[in-house]
Amino acid sequence: DIDPNTTLGHLILTETNTPNKNGFYYIMTLFYGGKAIDKSRTQIAFPYIYDLAQNKREIFIRQNVNGEWNEWTQI
């Protein structure tokens, strides 16, 4: 698994450090001030499989500022 906490990839598919520990997510990373793990960045997580039976489409966001990730927040 690719770790979204340290990836330099713009878009990854992983089950590591995701909002829900029981599933895969596509995670998009938007970098600020350069593409490096020591730069501030924002991530948006989209579930690999949606729960269509319950019409559940959870999308999450979090930010890394000064080397610290905040918690995933559902939007």
Side-chain angles (χ1 to χ4, degrees), residues 2-75:
I2 301 170
D3 188 347
N5 289 355
T6 58
T7 188
L8 294 179
H10 174 67
L11 184 63
I12 62 171
L13 177 61
T14 187
E15 64 179 343
T16 301
N17 291 320
T18 60
N20 179 345
K21 305 301 185 220
N22 298 322
F24 281 85
Y25 281 78
Y26 291 106
I27 297 181
M28 182 181 355
T29 304
L30 307 169
F31 294 88
Y32 301 110
K35 197 173 193 180
I37 62 171
D38 64 341
K39 300 294 183 183
S40 296
R41 53 207 185 274
T42 297
Q43 290 183 331
I44 304 169
F46 305 90
Y48 178 67
I49 299 176
Y50 286 108
D51 186 348
L52 295 178
Q54 297 180 12
N55 197 25
K56 198 173 183 180
R57 294 176 176 89
E58 298 173 335
I59 299 172
F60 296 85
I61 191 168
R62 71 176 181 166
Q63 293 179 317
N64 181 304
V65 179
N66 298 323
E68 297 291 326
W69 285 106
N70 60 11
E71 295 295 320
W72 287 105
T73 302
Q74 185 175 348
I75 57 173

